[in-house]
Amino acid sequence: MVEAMNQFIKGMDVSTLPELLGLGAKYYDQGKEEAPLSILKKYGADSLRVRLWNDPYSPQGKPYGAGTNDFDKLVWIAQEGKKLGFTYLLDFHYSDFWTDPGKQIVPKAWQGMDADGLEKAVYSYTRETLEKLGEKGLLPDMVQVGNEVTNGLLWPLGKEGNYDNIARFISAGIRAVREVDASIPVMIHLDCGGNNEKCRKWFDEYTKRGADFEVIGLSYYPFWHGTIEDLSNNMNDLAARFGKEIVVAEVSMGHTMEDYKEYEKLSDSERKGMATKPHLAEAVAYPMTPQGQADFMNDVMKKIAEVPGGLGRGFYYWEPAWIPVPGCGWANEESLAYMNDPGPGGNEWANQALFDYDGNVLPALSVIRDFKGEASEKGNQ
């Protein structure tokens, strides 16, 4: 990796932060209000992850919400982070809104293109974005080509099973990164952090066809992706099999199961409710309490640092600052229409932030700050 990211990465995905601040979110450390990025930096965070959506606005120009992560939001976060000494990972979704294993929607401007057209569009968009960032002195320290591409990207032409097109599209993005700055490491990101069989098959197929890359990114949510031992076994196997660095590109854990309806100020029909449904939370080995969240993060960091060969490079906590403030949900009327999703919206993540519902620092941040990565020496033996 580039020199700035050679340490064990303690990263934070703060993509929704500009919207949260605009809606009045406030954050506190020991009762004192402070800027959230300053708090995260004080508690050991050293890198930011920022998603980028191509055009997160309706044809009438209305924002899609959930951060409305356009180029201007990216620039703001990168600039604010740079002032504090953060590196950053740029997460290209190649869509106008969320992408994940359940949806990979072609951007409005690219709809109707054939595979050749999509390949060219990925290349041009990636290159032009990076060139604009370079002009501002804001080139990212790592680039993620696609988001949770386990089931492909740019559906239907790049859907799961069409490994030729999947490799073409991802390789086009990688080629653009290399041509702008060959020193920037590239991540390919799957969601299924505890599923070794699926990850192994995906990378077996990709590496037969696709451009080289440096980092395997994994999402690991314990209520969806298996036990922490499943994650550890998968990381260890992927590192040994492919010789790539491993970053847990998304991770989080609940600190409570108490509802936050009163904070959102939405009717029941307007809110989806927390992602950690009770039956999912009950299956997790850690209680969803402040201490359970802290213990979970301590164990995740240890497992990453223990990946053999020193290939476990760190993590990005997903949306640590997404506390429940009115108006900041996962989707709104315009974005639901884009996705052809019935909804509803609302905040699914507030009980997994690293701040409580009132914006106060939670104990997990101290655990992150104090983790020294001692296990990395063991991993190098």
Side-chain angles (χ1 to χ4, degrees):
M1 285 189 181
V2 290
E3 185 175 351
M5 301 188 81
N6 276 339
Q7 76 280 8
F8 185 91
I9 299 166
K10 298 178 180 180
M12 302 284 160
D13 189 318
V14 293
S15 300
T16 309
L17 186 58
E19 180 173 293
L20 285 158
L21 293 174
L23 291 167
K26 297 184 183 300
Y27 301 85
Y28 304 88
D29 184 21
Q30 298 180 344
K32 179 184 175 183
E33 183 182 349
E34 295 183 47
L37 290 182
S38 297
I39 294 174
L40 293 173
K41 184 69 174 177
K42 182 168 61 174
Y43 280 90
D46 50 35
S47 190
L48 304 176
R49 180 173 180 258
V50 190
R51 62 179 171 266
L52 179 63
W53 293 325
N54 290 36
D55 178 26
Y57 297 87
S58 74
Q60 293 75 37
K62 294 185 178 180
Y64 282 168
T68 309
N69 289 107
D70 59 11
F71 183 78
D72 290 341
K73 303 289 194 317
L74 163 63
V75 166
W76 185 88
I77 296 171
Q79 286 177 332
E80 293 301 304
K82 189 173 183 179
K83 292 175 187 175
L84 294 169
F86 284 102
T87 61
Y88 85 97
L89 163 61
L90 171 54
D91 173 12
F92 282 100
H93 278 233
Y94 301 120
S95 181
D96 293 335
F97 204 51
W98 299 113
T99 57
D100 54 48
K103 52 189 172 292
Q104 296 277 341
I105 303 170
V106 173
K108 293 183 291 292
W110 301 359
Q111 288 176 4
M113 291 183 178
D114 62 11
D116 288 342
L118 289 175
E119 181 180 3
K120 291 173 184 175
V122 169
Y123 169 81
S124 298
Y125 175 71
T126 305
R127 179 160 185 158
E128 289 165 9
T129 299
L130 292 173
E131 287 174 342
K132 288 193 293 183
L133 289 168
E135 291 168 2
K136 296 177 179 294
L138 294 173
L139 276 177
D141 299 275
M142 191 190 309
V143 171
Q144 182 181 315
V145 178
N147 188 75
E148 293 191 332
V149 295
T150 318
N151 294 333
L153 71 166
L154 298 169
W155 292 353
L157 295 178
K159 200 160 188 179
E160 180 184 17
N162 194 337
Y163 288 105
D164 289 341
N165 278 348
I166 291 170
R168 284 179 69 185
F169 300 156
I170 292 174
S171 297
I174 294 174
R175 187 166 69 251
V177 177
R178 302 292 188 226
E179 291 180 8
V180 173
D181 187 337
S183 73
I184 298 175
V186 172
M187 171 190 288
I188 297 179
H189 172 216
L190 305 188
D191 78 297
C192 47
N195 190 330
N196 181 241
E197 181 180 3
K198 184 177 285 190
C199 290
R200 201 164 154 167
K201 178 183 178 183
W202 196 99
F203 283 107
D204 277 343
E205 295 292 345
Y206 175 82
T207 53
K208 294 173 188 175
R209 302 165 170 85
D212 199 15
F213 64 102
E214 287 75 32
V215 184
I216 290 175
L218 301 170
S219 293
Y220 177 64
Y221 299 114
F223 43 92
W224 287 331
H225 297 141
T227 68
I228 202 165
E229 289 303 324
D230 292 333
L231 171 67
S232 179
N233 293 337
N234 189 31
M235 292 191 297
N236 294 345
D237 180 72
L238 294 175
R241 184 172 179 82
F242 299 103
K244 305 297 183 185
E245 298 183 331
I246 308 292
V247 171
V248 179
E250 295 184 21
V251 64
S252 73
M253 168 68 184
H255 62 83
T256 182
M257 286 298 290
E258 291 184 14
D259 197 5
Y260 43 87
K261 177 181 177 178
E262 64 182 271
Y263 291 85
E264 288 192 280
K265 303 189 185 308
L266 294 173
S267 67
D268 290 340
S269 64
E270 294 174 303
R271 60 194 301 265
K272 195 167 186 177
M274 60 185 68
T276 54
K277 306 301 182 189
H279 71 282
L280 296 174
E282 289 169 6
V284 176
Y286 301 80
M288 292 203 178
T289 63
Q291 188 60 50
Q293 183 187 57
D295 291 342
F296 169 81
M297 281 309 301
N298 186 60
D299 290 350
V300 165
M301 290 187 290
K302 284 182 178 179
K303 293 299 186 184
I304 296 169
E306 288 171 355
V307 173
L311 290 173
R313 297 301 304 125
F315 69 91
Y316 287 87
Y317 197 96
W318 201 77
E319 293 283 7
W322 201 346
I323 60 176
V325 297
C328 188
W330 81 274
N332 61 23
E333 185 177 342
E334 286 74 28
S335 51
L336 289 170
Y338 169 71
M339 295 184 293
N340 192 28
D341 189 312
N347 185 328
E348 289 188 279
W349 223 254
N351 72 317
Q352 297 181 70
L354 294 176
F355 298 86
D356 69 17
Y357 296 162
D358 295 308
N360 298 296
V361 164
L362 287 165
L365 276 170
S366 296
V367 169
I368 290 168
R369 177 196 62 203
D370 296 340
F371 183 75
K372 304 301 182 186
E374 296 91 343
S376 61
E377 295 183 8
K378 175 183 175 183
N380 278 307
Q381 290 175 0

